[in-house]
Amino acid sequence: MTGILLPVGEKRRSTELALIGFSAVLILVAFTSASAAYSNKFPSGLVEDAIGFIALSLVAHLAVRRFAPYADPVLLPAAIALNGLGLVLIHRLDLSAQKTAHAHSQSAGTAAAPLQLVWTVIGIALFIAVLAVIRDHRRLQSLTYTAMVVGLGLLVLPALLPASHSTVNGARIWIKFGGFSFQPGEIAKIALEVFFAGYLVSKRDVLALAGRRMLGVTLPRARDLGPVLVAWGASLLILTRESDLGSSLLFFGIFIVMLYVATQRRSWLLIGLVLFVLGSLGAAHFVPHVHERVQIWLHPLSPRYITNQSYQLAQGLFGQATGGIFGTGLGQGRPDLVPFANTDFIGSTIAEELGLAGLMAVLVIYLLLVMRGLRAAIGTRDDFGKLLGAGLSFGLALQIFVQIGGVTRLIPLTGLTLPFLSYGGSSLVSNWILLALLMRISDASRQPLPDRPVAPDEHATMVIQR
Amino acid sequence: MPVAVVFLLRAVVLILLWGFVVAAVVAVRHDIFGTKPRKVRSPRPAPAPRPAPAPKPAKPPRASRAAPSRVTVIEGPGQGVSVALSSLPVTIGRATDSTIVLDDDFASSKHARLVPNGDAWLLEDVGSTNGTLIGNSKVTAPVAVKVGTRITIGRSTLEIQ
């Protein structure tokens, strides 16, 4: 951290309000653009939805003024812009679904956008609740092992439940009861990040100092490899038992990076990389559905796969190619041809209708979100906050990379959601909670230095008079 | 709706999207690019415009010699970190609750501190292992520091400005 002065003590809430205003205009125009292109009349219900969402943003802003006045001014507006844009895209896909159903004279399924709006309300309510309840992020450190139990419990629960209560579209990552379904992985991610941060803060010294140098890197002792191997084994278990490639990659990546941040030892990255390569090669050979994913990734247009397994990926690629640089315009493409266009493939919906320019803007907004999170981590003065902030931000970044990487065929497709954009309650709610934690850490990092004299040390105090 | 309107809306969406990005970047501009650590090679650095991030003390400027206004790490792991000398003591050390946190293996957790005394500032060592140096002399009792004083702690050098 060379030569960066932190803007300590500036509240900048008005900047936040202005940025929220900007995103409100953006969302209104995007809504209008999508609806105008789709039908000739000004859509009914649009104004109510948009005004409802903007009112929600203002409530969140007021809560930040009250509970985290020094927090970063960009985090909340970025989340609001992404969430709003997600609502626009989901609404736009609803319109297509209605039109298709109408053409085939079937009844359209439930519209997704109103549900997503309900989840947004819940998400923002929880965002405010987390800010109000957790007034100091260091209190989470005392919950280290509780977080571990909760996180691991939520993670393995779908594997233990009977398939009828846990499997949707081949991935065993759900908890289903009655009409209600929930994907616990996203909440588990936050709980495990809290656990990793608390655990590594207490164990960092032994993991950082013991070991001997070899080929320019300090290798850890064999017995200190335990935690890494446990994390590796756990993610392989998720992969094989729950068929969840994305979460498996995400958890292992977050653990390795937090280990590296805690110890500042590059050897952990090296060890992590070796384990990752071994694990992925093994999985690609021996786990059937991973093998299939790799084949689809390598040959999406092959006649063997395109009608069935790689249909979604191939349609997504065609859609993105159609979009070109500036896109077809909202409501003027056919992103609805891609299965699950509003969850897994919302990235390709953006690329098709807003073009490369739109997708890049969305990625830069994510970049700002992640960067502000890491900034908060650097600025915090306690080690737990630093690690937690870094873990939450990096987790977000890795998830976005894996998601967009999958949709654009940079890496094999996994089943993760795009934070704040994708349709899905559990994902949206967890990301709002995650944002609240980042805001809390950011608030702590930008608060002015405590206004009290330093507590006198017993042996060092001298009264000085001249 | 007319094609022109649809096209216009399509363009405006993209412009607003990037407008939001630019607005957000502008909002955090000085935090992204940081402030350059000032080169302190010459004994009297030219007064560079200061990006005042920390609240400055609201003291009337002294008529004669300038009173110490800030302390900056000019060499060592935390190079560039700078703290305003207002009315509160400044603690220096490896402990994360120090005012200036030194990530320096040769510094103690609680190494030294600067205490205000009227208009002057006193430096005292708070029981460090490797000692605090001003020039070549070890600080054993509180000693007054002036603008330009260099303090050596472990591998770090701090300057009073």
Side-chain angles (χ1 to χ4, degrees):
Chain A
M1 44 175 286
T2 308
I4 297 168
L5 302 179
L6 292 173
V8 167
E10 289 178 50
K11 289 192 175 172
R12 312 202 63 192
R13 292 275 71 84
S14 312
T15 312
E16 183 181 84
L17 186 60
L19 284 173
I20 290 177
F22 205 127
S23 47
V25 174
L26 164 69
I27 293 158
L28 270 176
V29 173
F31 254 122
T32 319
S33 169
S35 313
Y38 222 84
S39 58
N40 286 321
K41 57 180 181 356
F42 197 75
S44 63
L46 166 78
V47 179
E48 289 89 328
D49 281 3
I51 287 177
F53 180 72
I54 291 162
L56 270 178
S57 329
L58 291 178
V59 171
H61 168 73
L62 289 177
V64 171
R65 271 188 193 262
R66 172 97 172 75
F67 297 120
Y70 291 98
D72 194 282
V74 167
L75 286 171
L76 181 62
I80 286 171
L82 291 167
N83 193 339
L85 193 62
L87 279 168
V88 173
L89 295 167
I90 294 163
H91 171 70
R92 179 253 166 279
L93 288 163
D94 279 349
L95 292 178
S96 284
Q98 282 161 15
K99 195 173 182 179
T100 315
H102 188 70
H104 294 80
S105 54
Q106 297 161 333
S107 67
T110 335
L115 273 175
Q116 180 81 343
L117 195 59
V118 171
W119 283 113
T120 308
V121 174
I122 298 174
I124 290 183
L126 282 172
F127 168 82
I128 295 169
V130 169
L131 280 182
V133 171
I134 303 174
R135 304 306 289 265
D136 184 346
H137 61 268
R138 280 171 293 187
R139 273 174 52 193
L140 288 172
Q141 194 171 359
S142 59
L143 296 176
T144 299
Y145 289 93
T146 318
M148 177 191 78
V149 172
V150 170
L152 285 181
L154 285 172
L155 208 55
V156 299
L157 199 55
L160 300 177
L161 286 172
S164 62
H165 283 290
S166 64
T167 309
V168 175
N169 302 320
R172 200 169 184 177
I173 51 175
W174 293 82
I175 300 175
K176 285 196 295 182
F177 279 107
F180 177 79
S181 60
F182 190 76
Q183 209 171 340
E186 298 266 353
I187 288 282
K189 182 182 86 179
I190 299 176
L192 286 178
E193 280 162 344
V194 171
F195 163 62
F196 291 161
Y199 171 78
L200 290 172
V201 160
S202 55
K203 294 284 189 293
R204 66 193 297 174
D205 285 342
V206 69
L207 293 171
L209 297 176
R212 60 178 180 292
R213 283 186 77 78
M214 200 184 279
L215 297 172
V217 287
T218 316
L219 292 175
R221 295 176 302 181
R223 58 178 157 161
D224 292 334
L225 286 174
V228 184
L229 291 176
V230 168
W232 187 62
S235 31
L236 277 183
L237 210 65
I238 301 169
L239 185 64
T240 49
R241 288 283 296 161
E242 304 186 0
S243 310
D244 189 1
L245 193 60
S247 304
S248 162
L249 183 64
L250 196 58
F251 291 125
F252 190 60
I254 290 172
F255 183 75
I256 291 296
V257 165
M258 286 179 79
L259 198 56
Y260 168 62
V261 173
T263 60
Q264 302 186 5
R265 290 242 312 240
R266 261 162 289 178
S267 56
W268 289 119
L269 291 182
L270 211 68
I271 292 167
L273 204 65
V274 169
L275 286 175
F276 168 72
V277 170
L278 284 179
S280 1
L281 286 180
H285 269 95
F286 300 114
V287 185
H289 89 271
V290 178
H291 178 75
E292 191 188 277
R293 284 284 170 91
V294 172
Q295 289 305 313
I296 291 171
W297 168 56
L298 292 174
H299 315 288
L301 304 183
S302 137
R304 263 179 76 195
Y305 300 115
I306 194 162
T307 51
N308 189 14
Q309 293 100 320
S310 74
Y311 178 77
Q312 183 189 30
L313 182 57
Q315 287 296 332
L317 290 172
F318 287 138
Q320 290 167 52
T322 312
I325 289 186
F326 295 110
T328 57
L330 284 169
Q332 297 175 76
R334 288 302 305 277
D336 51 301
L337 293 176
V338 187
F340 298 103
N342 62 11
T343 55
D344 292 6
F345 270 70
I346 199 144
S348 95
T349 308
I350 298 172
E352 178 170 351
E353 302 220 307
L354 296 173
L356 186 64
L359 187 64
M360 284 301 140
V362 167
L363 288 182
V364 175
I365 295 175
Y366 276 129
L367 179 70
L368 281 166
L369 201 61
V370 169
M371 189 200 74
R372 299 318 295 167
L374 289 173
R375 197 76 195 82
I378 291 177
T380 335
R381 303 162 72 74
D382 69 291
D383 292 341
F384 175 75
K386 273 184 197 300
L387 262 177
L388 182 60
L392 293 170
S393 316
F394 175 77
L396 208 56
L398 185 63
Q399 184 169 349
I400 295 158
F401 169 75
V402 169
Q403 223 285 337
I404 296 284
V407 168
T408 52
R409 207 168 74 90
L410 180 69
I411 56 173
L413 191 62
T414 57
L416 289 176
T417 56
L418 210 46
F420 293 110
L421 273 175
S422 288
Y423 170 64
S426 15
S427 159
L428 191 62
V429 166
S430 327
N431 281 308
W432 276 108
I433 294 175
L434 188 154
L435 187 79
L437 292 178
L438 277 183
M439 295 281 280
R440 173 53 67 220
I441 294 170
S442 170
D443 180 53
S445 77
R446 294 161 60 96
Q447 258 169 26
L449 300 175
D451 242 14
R452 52 176 170 73
V454 176
D457 313 327
E458 57 275 27
H459 58 277
T461 309
M462 291 175 101
V463 179
I464 300 141
Q465 287 292 337
R466 275 203 298 195
Chain B
M1 278 199 197
V3 180
V5 174
V6 171
F7 182 82
L8 198 70
L9 281 170
R10 182 183 145 194
V12 170
V13 168
L14 279 183
I15 291 167
L16 282 177
L17 206 52
W18 279 102
F20 179 80
V21 168
V22 171
V25 169
V26 167
V28 291
R29 184 185 58 230
H30 65 213
D31 210 28
I32 290 179
F33 298 113
T35 40
K36 288 183 191 132
R38 274 174 291 164
K39 296 274 181 219
V40 213
R41 289 286 166 234
S42 59
R44 200 167 298 153
R50 224 172 258 153
K56 286 183 85 178
K59 276 186 200 164
R62 297 234 307 173
S64 56
R65 288 228 312 275
S69 66
R70 53 196 310 125
V71 55
T72 305
V73 181
I74 57 171
E75 244 181 87
Q79 192 178 8
V81 171
S82 182
V83 166
L85 297 173
S86 51
S87 57
L88 298 169
V90 170
T91 58
I92 304 165
R94 277 197 312 162
T96 44
D97 60 347
S98 313
T99 321
I100 296 182
V101 180
L102 294 174
D103 185 16
D104 184 332
D105 295 339
F106 296 95
S108 302
S109 335
K110 290 187 190 330
H111 199 109
R113 68 176 169 186
L114 287 159
V115 194
N117 180 30
D119 280 338
W121 282 81
L122 299 172
L123 171 70
E124 63 176 325
D125 189 287
V126 289
S128 71
T129 312
N130 292 329
T132 305
L133 300 172
I134 291 183
N136 284 326
S137 55
K138 198 161 180 171
V139 176
T140 47
V143 54
V145 291
K146 312 188 287 285
V147 170
T149 302
R150 301 275 178 94
I151 305 163
T152 307
I153 289 174
R155 286 178 300 166
S156 314
T157 305
L158 290 80
E159 191 184 58
I160 307 292
Q161 290 162 344

